[in-house]
Amino acid sequence: MFDITALGELLIDFTPCGTSEAGRQLFEQNPGGAPANVLVSVSRLGQKAAFIGKVGDDMHGALLKKTLEENDVDTSGLIADPNVFTTLAFVTLTDGERNFSFARKPGADTQLREEEVNLEILKNTRIFHFGSLSLTDEPARSATIYAVEHAKQYGALISYDPNYRAPLWKSREAAVKGMRSVIKYVDIMKLSDEETALLTDIEDPKGAAEALLRQGVKCVVVTLGKDGAILVTDKVCVQAPAQTRKVVDTTGAGDSFWGGLLSRFAEFHVNPADISESQAGDFLRYANIVAGLCVEKRGAIPAMPYRKEVEEIYNLRLDKF
């Protein structure tokens, strides 16, 4: 039984790494992709994880597969396709904030087909997580819906992170329609304060969360940058502050946060609709610690902290923060 399975993009983030002797920008090859980042996060935090998706049968795809396996993420659902190239993302950083340029026309992650989705994994997972980037293009869009529907049928908790990336959608209108189309399947959802209006037409985080609850989502978490995050259900509304850390690179910060939160739901077998106020505060605090440690390092997957690092901070008295 897997605690958490994710489907979606697995790619290389080329992140800035100084300049050459000739003064040219150097880029570092870092494994990434939001669903994969989440899985490495939960795996390093002690949960059993599995990945479903596609890479190219190339040097980058081989590195990505090896990276997941080195982090104890099951790759039996990962396809290496010789007909397409592994997706690449070139990241520029300004004061630790990211801008992306993608090589994805098409990228391997967009080419996953329904018949390639490993249903045996879905039959044996407690939480199924996906994002919106696998909804941008066919055949991956249909494969994603197919996987979500089957995971829900098999009794998994459905987790969703819209993770809006404007360059990968044909238009803002297409993004809004695509990202909203799957809300009806979702049990627990993460979005940033910059995505609230895209998903609900409401900018206010609490108001947006309540709108999503009315559509059937059981638990909504809105990340608020330096102000931490807010968790809302029909019964509770809890906000927890972010960790104060030295920011090196925010790549993967949201994914590490979500990995931290999902790991708590998996470990304590909590139904999102029934989470108590004290549990919500505890889960948010834990996830914020995970994200705080992540941003102190470059890259996404390489920066995901281990459980021991997180617990060293988590076990400190609250008045130490």
Side-chain angles (χ1 to χ4, degrees):
M1 177 64 76
F2 296 104
D3 293 299
I4 301 161
T5 295
L7 178 150
E9 67 274 15
L10 178 61
L11 50 80
I12 297 294
D13 286 321
F14 280 103
T15 52
C17 186
T19 55
S20 69
E21 292 181 359
R24 302 293 186 185
Q25 178 74 66
L26 297 177
F27 287 85
E28 184 175 57
Q29 180 194 40
N30 282 306
N37 296 342
V38 170
L39 289 182
V40 171
S41 177
V42 301
S43 179
R44 290 187 178 185
L45 295 172
Q47 308 304 312
K48 191 172 182 183
F51 181 79
I52 296 173
K54 179 175 282 192
V55 293
D57 187 9
D58 51 46
M59 61 179 286
H60 300 302
L63 172 64
L64 291 165
K65 183 174 188 291
K66 179 182 178 183
T67 298
L68 290 184
E69 291 173 345
E70 288 176 345
N71 284 281
D72 297 320
V73 176
D74 182 275
T75 59
S76 58
L78 176 63
I79 308 294
D81 190 333
N83 298 311
V84 283
F85 199 69
T86 300
T87 299
L88 309 178
F90 293 85
V91 187
T92 56
L93 301 173
T94 304
D95 297 326
E97 294 299 322
R98 305 154 296 156
N99 292 295
F100 294 89
S101 179
F102 291 91
R104 192 186 189 231
K105 297 181 179 180
D109 68 294
T110 69
Q111 300 303 299
L112 182 70
R113 301 189 301 273
E114 287 185 21
E115 62 269 24
E116 294 174 319
V117 174
N118 189 322
L119 295 181
E120 287 304 310
I121 295 176
L122 298 181
K123 290 176 182 177
N124 293 283
T125 190
R126 293 188 175 91
I127 300 173
F128 176 76
H129 173 70
F130 72 108
S132 74
L133 296 199
S134 59
L135 302 174
T136 60
D137 296 272
E138 291 290 0
R141 174 179 166 78
S142 293
T144 301
I145 301 299
Y146 177 82
V148 171
E149 290 178 339
H150 280 76
K152 199 167 186 72
Q153 176 187 330
Y154 298 143
L157 183 74
I158 306 300
S159 163
Y160 175 48
D161 176 5
N163 193 32
Y164 178 54
R165 294 286 180 267
L168 297 181
W169 292 91
K170 294 179 181 178
S171 66
R172 180 184 173 88
E173 292 71 27
V176 168
K177 182 178 179 180
M179 291 190 296
R180 294 185 184 188
S181 68
V182 294
I183 293 173
K184 61 186 178 183
Y185 300 108
V186 177
D187 296 301
I188 178 170
M189 183 170 169
K190 167 195 168 290
L191 65 163
S192 72
D193 53 355
E194 296 175 346
E195 294 166 337
T196 52
L198 286 167
L199 274 297
T200 68
D201 295 325
I202 300 171
E203 290 188 4
D204 173 66
K206 186 173 183 291
E210 291 171 343
L212 291 167
L213 294 178
R214 290 193 291 271
Q215 295 178 59
V217 183
K218 296 182 177 69
C219 175
V220 179
V221 180
V222 183
T223 56
L224 307 171
K226 61 182 178 59
D227 293 323
I230 184 172
L231 184 153
V232 185
T233 72
D234 284 333
K235 300 175 182 176
V236 303
C237 178
V238 177
Q239 184 171 343
Q243 283 269 294
T244 301
R245 318 295 295 188
K246 181 180 178 181
V247 177
V248 173
D249 181 1
T250 60
T251 305
D255 302 326
S256 65
F257 170 88
W258 200 235
L261 200 77
L262 291 183
S263 74
R264 300 309 265 182
F265 275 104
E267 183 170 352
F268 295 102
H269 303 281
V270 175
N271 184 323
D274 298 328
I275 190 171
S276 68
E277 186 171 340
S278 62
Q279 284 176 322
D282 175 82
F283 286 17
L284 286 176
R285 176 173 169 252
Y286 189 88
N288 281 329
I289 292 170
V290 176
L293 289 168
C294 176
V295 300
E296 292 184 327
K297 300 176 183 177
R298 278 205 314 271
I301 285 177
M304 296 298 164
Y306 289 89
R307 184 175 183 128
K308 182 179 178 181
E309 299 173 81
V310 175
E311 290 188 343
E312 285 178 354
I313 298 174
Y314 175 79
N315 291 330
L316 293 174
R317 296 197 315 273
L318 287 175
D319 62 5
K320 292 287 187 180
F321 286 83

